[in-house]
Amino acid sequence: MPALGLDHYNLRAPRALLDELRAFYIAAVGLADGPRPPFARFGYWLYAGTEPVLHLTEASPDEMRITHAGGTFDHVAFRATDLAAMAAQLDALGIAYQQAVVPGSGVRQLFFLDPAGNGVELNFAAPTE
C-alpha cells in the first residue's frame, strides 16, 4: 500500500536542546504544545492546528546526537499564512532567513535554521491580484 502523506517528524536531543527546540518552534514557526501519550521517554508534541506534526523526544544520556551536521536531510516545510507578519516575527526573534519564490507558482517561501541546525521552510500562497 502506498503512503498516504506525512504524519509527523521527530527530533531527538538532550533535554536542554529539546526545550530550546520546543520554544523555537512555538515562537518562530507558530506550532502549539498539545497532548502527548504517556511514553516512557520525556518529550513534547507540537501541533499545527489539530495535527501533531512535530514530536520532540529526549535523547538518553549515552545517545550520540550530532547537531549542525551535514547529511541528506535539508529541511522540513510548513504551509503558513501572513508572510509579512511571519517575517516580522523572525526579525523580532533575531532569526536570519532567506526569501524565495517558487518558479511558475508564485508561492512565497522563507528558509531558516532551528537551534540544532535543521532547515525549516515556510510556504505562503501566491498573492492574488
Side-chain angles (χ1 to χ4, degrees):
M1 308 255 353
L4 300 175
L6 181 65
D7 187 74
H8 71 275
Y9 73 110
N10 184 72
L11 300 177
R12 291 176 67 89
R15 180 65 181 271
L17 179 55
L18 197 72
D19 290 341
E20 189 177 352
L21 288 165
R22 176 185 163 272
F24 175 87
Y25 279 93
I26 290 170
V29 178
L31 299 182
D33 268 320
R36 179 180 183 266
F39 294 111
R41 185 158 320 272
F42 178 82
Y44 305 104
W45 277 14
L46 300 183
Y47 286 66
T50 61
E51 299 300 317
V53 297
L54 173 54
H55 297 179
L56 299 172
T57 307
E58 184 174 25
S60 61
D62 61 339
E63 190 175 340
M64 176 61 100
R65 292 289 164 164
I66 300 170
T67 62
H68 297 87
T72 58
F73 178 81
D74 187 68
H75 66 271
V76 62
F78 297 97
R79 287 184 307 276
T81 60
D82 201 343
L83 173 63
M86 184 58 73
Q89 177 69 7
L90 294 174
D91 288 338
L93 293 168
I95 297 169
Y97 59 90
Q98 282 127 21
Q99 295 190 49
V101 177
V102 177
S105 74
V107 169
R108 304 311 198 242
Q109 300 172 303
L110 297 178
F111 292 93
F112 49 96
L113 298 176
D114 75 11
N118 300 305
V120 179
E121 172 185 321
L122 301 179
N123 288 299
F124 303 85
T128 57
E129 303 251 48

